[in-house]
Amino acid sequence: MTKAPPRRAKIQDVAEAAGVAIKTVSRVLNNEPNVREETRQRVLAIVKKLNYHPSLSARSLAGRRSFLIGLIYENPSANYIVDVQHGAMARCREDRFQLLMHQVTGKGEEMERDVLGLVDQTHLDGLIVTAPLSESVDLMRALDRRALPFVRVAPNDAPHPTPYVDMDDAGAAREMTEYLIGLGHRRIGFIVGHPDHFASGQRLVGYQAALAAHGIEFQERYVRQGYFIFESGMEAARELLTQADPPTAIFASNDDMAAGVLMAAHELGFSVPERLSVAGFDDTYIAKTVWPRLTTVHQPTYDLAYTATNLLLQMLQTGAAPQSMRLGYRLVCRASTAVVHK
Amino acid sequence: MTKAPPRRAKIQDVAEAAGVAIKTVSRVLNNEPNVREETRQRVLAIVKKLNYHPSLSARSLAGRRSFLIGLIYENPSANYIVDVQHGAMARCREDRFQLLMHQVTGKGEEMERDVLGLVDQTHLDGLIVTAPLSESVDLMRALDRRALPFVRVAPNDAPHPTPYVDMDDAGAAREMTEYLIGLGHRRIGFIVGHPDHFASGQRLVGYQAALAAHGIEFQERYVRQGYFIFESGMEAARELLTQADPPTAIFASNDDMAAGVLMAAHELGFSVPERLSVAGFDDTYIAKTVWPRLTTVHQPTYDLAYTATNLLLQMLQTGAAPQSMRLGYRLVCRASTAVVHK
DNA sequence: AGACAAATTGACAACGTTGTCACGGCTATG
DNA sequence: CATAGCCGTGACAACGTTGTCAATTTGTCT
């Protein structure tokens, strides 16, 4: 019954079985040139037969790289970060890299220590930095000092030679605002995202640009500061809706806050979308599960992460920094917005 | 300006600076006994001064363990899995283990190949298996064959010597059902969870037990099969609500499905909780963001994962399988349930 | 003081790969 | 027909730790 667990095959076993030197096996496994096709096939057959898998540790030690990539994030909504994780994971699998997720604790120096601790302990080959961590100049400098390749899934606020992947936040926000204007709305509330995020400012810029383009006066009283979380959206909406001449539409800088707006609207008796239109941003899972379903900007979260990981792997292989990329968005019109009420 | 990136300190550098052998440094770093306190302090000082961090690869290679733990999951809701991840991550950090998340693709044999591929390639020290993967007897056997320690975050349906961490699904479901009965409901709909999950059956058992205890006849027509996702809850609720004598309350086996029930109720004009009470299960983020907020069972997701990881690390250190554990739940009564309408 | 046990330390060989370099055989070139 | 160069291959030394075991120091008991 109890069979001793079979010893793991090592490169030597494969080499002996194939009648070649271990170095040749190594060459085959790493797709190095200068191996005769016949030899390559013979080795591959044995590898399969023995179910041989090279030891990550040995490879790392000898090859001076860990095949480990880090993904650091601060405190995003679960739906968002899971998409990011899966995008990065998918790309890593293609090249047999492993992904180490790391939720960063603290701010400022404490945050830096946390990240550098991870980097030092695990000897990562590269790092994927999500917003708003990507906005810390100090962190980027520290990573440079360690000569650690990294890419950012975030808009490039502070110019840095490192590549990044982003989307046109300002353009998307402008388009959404224009959509609301097109529905006849003139008093449009806006809830700003977390001040630590560069994207927050960009989305505000887009909102303002749309108003200006349509000759609508920008009014401070229709703008509130939020923090990308549900409660902050609810709170902001309460303030916006309880003033005289309340907005007929509210555009929140992400879906979580937009869901908060819905909650406040329900509490205050504003029916959506009859008396109040609500728009979100991101198109995360929550947008489809609240009632009414949210009109929002679809952000290609999965693809952003996949692409960022792709750039990072390119960097590791070529040693050179590839071009940054900007991915597209698209408006998703659902049930939370409608033509303005009389 | 451009300073050559300083070579990483290695154990030899520490040893020389401290005037001891590398083995002594190794002993200090691994908290091994038989090092004089004075020596220990001297070494630690140098370690700090040089910002020395042992190489994971070298440690793994020499020590024959990877300090890597896998966490595999299938396709759970984002809110749930993020809690699991963070619970496991927190415990890993305490012992300087790293966590490798892995979303499993496929079912049956394909799923097994996927998991074993991960295990073989990374040479994991241990694995955390979440439901419903934990229900595959074949997978568990395969892990045994590889002599890989693992724990399950799931109820123990198929007895296996490996420890698990779970909660009392049947008891919780029974309590929630009794709460609804206490509100005067007699026609209580129930949406079963995904059939692959053992917990689904347990929750149904709890529902049935509550009905029986209060002399309420169990009726098939008030029960529908769901799949733990939003759409399936919505679909099931549509069916339940459009029959003659529809239920006055619906208990969904998780929050995502309960949110779907709310959506269906809105569509069909059933106001919640006035005409229909709705209860969920899990107490994930979604329960607090839908309107009305969901009455649900709080499941200690984070703690389940933390505890499971703790058991796994104990296993790795002692070599023996520790006791399985059962954690507590609690009813969270919010706005989606009310006394039955006339 | 001497003898023995325990605590502390070090030398050296693993661990399983990849990098470097050398070697023989073959092909193309003059 | 010699010669240079490339291709395919292998021998062997890293890589930076931990495990083993022997050597040395320290402590304890007569």
Side-chain angles (χ1 to χ4, degrees):
Chain A
M1 212 66 254
T2 35
K3 217 167 34 173
R7 188 180 54 89
R8 232 169 199 137
K10 45 193 195 184
I11 200 171
Q12 181 128 242
D13 302 328
V14 177
E16 281 169 13
V20 296
I22 57 171
K23 182 64 218 192
T24 298
V25 178
S26 171
R27 272 191 268 260
V28 169
L29 293 170
N30 292 287
N31 284 313
E32 287 174 31
N34 300 336
V35 178
R36 221 186 324 169
E37 187 54 28
E38 183 211 10
T39 315
R40 181 181 302 276
Q41 293 308 330
R42 185 155 36 101
V43 169
L44 285 176
I46 304 279
V47 163
K48 189 157 202 175
K49 182 177 152 208
L50 297 183
N51 190 30
Y52 166 73
H53 293 271
S55 150
L56 230 179
S57 337
R59 249 148 76 89
S60 304
L61 185 56
R64 266 156 262 230
R65 56 225 185 99
S66 61
F67 300 95
L68 249 37
I69 286 184
L71 167 64
I72 58 176
Y73 56 90
E74 197 189 51
N75 198 17
S77 85
N79 296 303
Y80 179 83
I81 197 58
V82 165
D83 280 348
V84 170
Q85 290 180 354
H86 289 164
M89 261 162 72
R91 184 62 187 83
C92 278
R93 278 187 208 187
E94 292 172 15
D95 283 16
R96 298 184 175 268
F97 268 70
Q98 296 295 331
L99 191 64
L100 241 42
M101 328 276 193
H102 188 88
Q103 184 179 29
V104 171
T105 61
K107 291 259 181 194
E109 280 196 31
E110 191 187 333
M111 175 273 278
E112 276 178 60
R113 267 196 304 278
D114 187 11
V115 174
L116 294 179
L118 172 75
V119 170
D120 286 340
Q121 275 170 43
T122 55
H123 301 242
L124 296 173
D125 283 347
L127 195 62
I128 299 167
V129 184
T130 60
L133 301 170
S134 50
E135 257 125 78
S136 163
V137 179
D138 286 341
L139 177 62
M140 281 162 47
R141 264 208 279 268
L143 294 176
D144 281 344
R145 250 189 318 268
R146 294 225 179 0
L148 184 74
F150 65 100
V151 300
R152 290 162 291 162
V153 185
N156 182 31
D157 56 326
H160 188 271
T162 269
Y164 61 91
V165 183
D166 76 349
M167 60 165 276
D168 184 4
D169 283 286
R174 175 176 175 152
E175 219 173 282
M176 176 60 85
T177 309
E178 289 186 326
Y179 168 71
L180 294 172
I181 294 173
L183 291 174
H185 295 278
R186 290 300 175 269
R187 304 196 305 275
I188 303 175
F190 186 81
I191 306 179
V192 187
H194 196 293
D196 284 356
H197 289 247
F198 180 68
S200 298
Q202 292 299 296
R203 292 175 194 176
L204 177 60
V205 163
Y207 162 77
Q208 291 173 317
L211 294 187
H214 291 263
I216 303 174
E217 186 197 357
F218 171 79
Q219 295 186 65
E220 286 283 358
R221 70 194 191 95
Y222 288 141
V223 176
R224 285 293 179 285
Q225 181 68 56
Y227 299 91
F228 278 150
I229 61 175
F230 180 84
E231 285 76 14
S232 70
M234 190 166 65
E235 186 56 40
R238 279 191 195 130
E239 292 179 22
L240 288 171
L241 293 175
T242 51
Q243 57 184 307
D245 249 359
T248 61
I250 295 181
F251 180 12
S253 291
N254 78 345
D255 289 341
D256 287 54
M257 294 195 299
V261 174
L262 289 183
M263 184 69 73
H266 280 129
E267 284 177 4
L268 298 171
F270 282 74
S271 61
V272 178
E274 293 78 10
R275 259 185 82 196
L276 177 72
S277 284
V278 177
F281 203 111
D282 284 353
D283 195 25
T284 51
Y285 179 68
I286 197 174
K288 280 166 271 189
T289 58
V290 292
W291 186 85
R293 290 186 176 84
L294 281 176
T295 291
T296 188
V297 174
H298 178 80
Q299 178 160 206
T301 315
Y302 180 96
D303 292 336
L304 285 168
Y306 182 95
T307 308
T309 311
N310 191 38
L311 293 187
L312 181 57
L313 291 177
Q314 277 180 38
M315 259 174 105
L316 296 183
Q317 277 151 24
T318 68
Q323 276 290 308
S324 293
M325 303 196 66
R326 166 157 285 187
L327 303 189
Y329 58 88
R330 96 179 170 269
L331 253 55
V332 181
C333 300
R334 298 208 183 87
S336 66
T337 49
V339 170
V340 67
H341 63 279
K342 303 291 133 47
Chain B
M1 211 67 255
T2 34
K3 217 168 36 175
R7 191 178 54 86
R8 234 173 199 137
K10 44 193 197 182
I11 200 170
Q12 182 130 240
D13 303 327
V14 177
E16 282 169 13
V20 296
I22 58 171
K23 180 66 217 191
T24 299
V25 177
S26 170
R27 272 191 269 258
V28 170
L29 292 170
N30 293 289
N31 284 313
E32 288 175 30
N34 298 336
V35 178
R36 223 185 322 172
E37 187 53 28
E38 185 210 9
T39 313
R40 180 182 302 276
Q41 293 307 330
R42 186 152 38 100
V43 170
L44 285 177
I46 304 279
V47 163
K48 189 158 203 174
K49 184 177 153 211
L50 298 184
N51 189 31
Y52 167 74
H53 293 272
S55 150
L56 229 180
S57 336
R59 251 149 74 89
S60 303
L61 186 55
R64 264 156 264 231
R65 56 225 185 103
S66 61
F67 299 96
L68 248 36
I69 286 184
L71 168 64
I72 58 176
Y73 56 91
E74 197 188 51
N75 198 18
S77 85
N79 296 303
Y80 178 82
I81 197 58
V82 165
D83 280 348
V84 170
Q85 289 181 355
H86 288 165
M89 260 162 72
R91 185 60 187 84
C92 278
R93 278 188 207 185
E94 293 172 15
D95 282 15
R96 298 185 174 268
F97 269 70
Q98 296 295 331
L99 191 65
L100 241 41
M101 328 275 191
H102 188 89
Q103 184 180 28
V104 171
T105 61
K107 291 262 181 190
E109 280 195 31
E110 191 188 333
M111 175 273 278
E112 274 179 61
R113 267 196 304 277
D114 186 12
V115 174
L116 295 179
L118 172 76
V119 169
D120 286 339
Q121 275 170 42
T122 56
H123 301 240
L124 296 173
D125 283 348
L127 194 63
I128 299 167
V129 184
T130 60
L133 301 169
S134 49
E135 258 126 75
S136 162
V137 179
D138 287 340
L139 178 62
M140 282 161 49
R141 265 207 279 266
L143 294 176
D144 280 344
R145 249 188 319 266
R146 296 229 178 355
L148 183 74
F150 65 101
V151 301
R152 289 163 290 163
V153 185
N156 182 33
D157 57 327
H160 188 271
T162 270
Y164 61 91
V165 182
D166 77 349
M167 61 164 277
D168 183 4
D169 283 287
R174 175 174 176 152
E175 219 172 282
M176 175 61 84
T177 308
E178 288 186 327
Y179 167 71
L180 293 172
I181 294 172
L183 291 174
H185 295 278
R186 290 299 174 269
R187 302 197 306 275
I188 303 175
F190 186 81
I191 305 180
V192 187
H194 195 294
D196 283 357
H197 288 247
F198 180 69
S200 298
Q202 291 299 295
R203 291 175 194 176
L204 176 60
V205 163
Y207 161 77
Q208 291 173 316
L211 293 186
H214 292 263
I216 303 175
E217 186 195 359
F218 171 78
Q219 296 186 64
E220 287 282 358
R221 68 192 192 97
Y222 288 141
V223 176
R224 284 293 178 286
Q225 180 67 56
Y227 299 92
F228 278 151
I229 62 175
F230 180 84
E231 286 76 13
S232 71
M234 190 167 62
E235 186 56 39
R238 280 193 193 126
E239 294 180 20
L240 288 171
L241 293 175
T242 52
Q243 58 184 306
D245 249 0
T248 61
I250 295 182
F251 178 13
S253 292
N254 78 345
D255 290 341
D256 287 56
M257 294 196 298
V261 173
L262 289 184
M263 184 68 75
H266 281 128
E267 283 177 3
L268 298 171
F270 282 74
S271 61
V272 177
E274 292 78 10
R275 257 186 83 197
L276 178 72
S277 285
V278 177
F281 204 110
D282 282 353
D283 195 24
T284 52
Y285 178 68
I286 197 174
K288 280 166 270 187
T289 58
V290 292
W291 185 86
R293 290 186 176 83
L294 282 175
T295 292
T296 189
V297 174
H298 179 79
Q299 177 159 205
T301 315
Y302 180 96
D303 292 336
L304 285 168
Y306 183 95
T307 307
T309 311
N310 190 39
L311 293 187
L312 181 58
L313 291 176
Q314 277 181 38
M315 258 174 106
L316 297 183
Q317 277 151 24
T318 68
Q323 275 289 308
S324 293
M325 302 196 67
R326 164 157 285 187
L327 302 190
Y329 59 87
R330 95 178 170 271
L331 254 55
V332 181
C333 299
R334 298 209 183 89
S336 66
T337 48
V339 170
V340 68
H341 64 278
K342 302 293 130 47

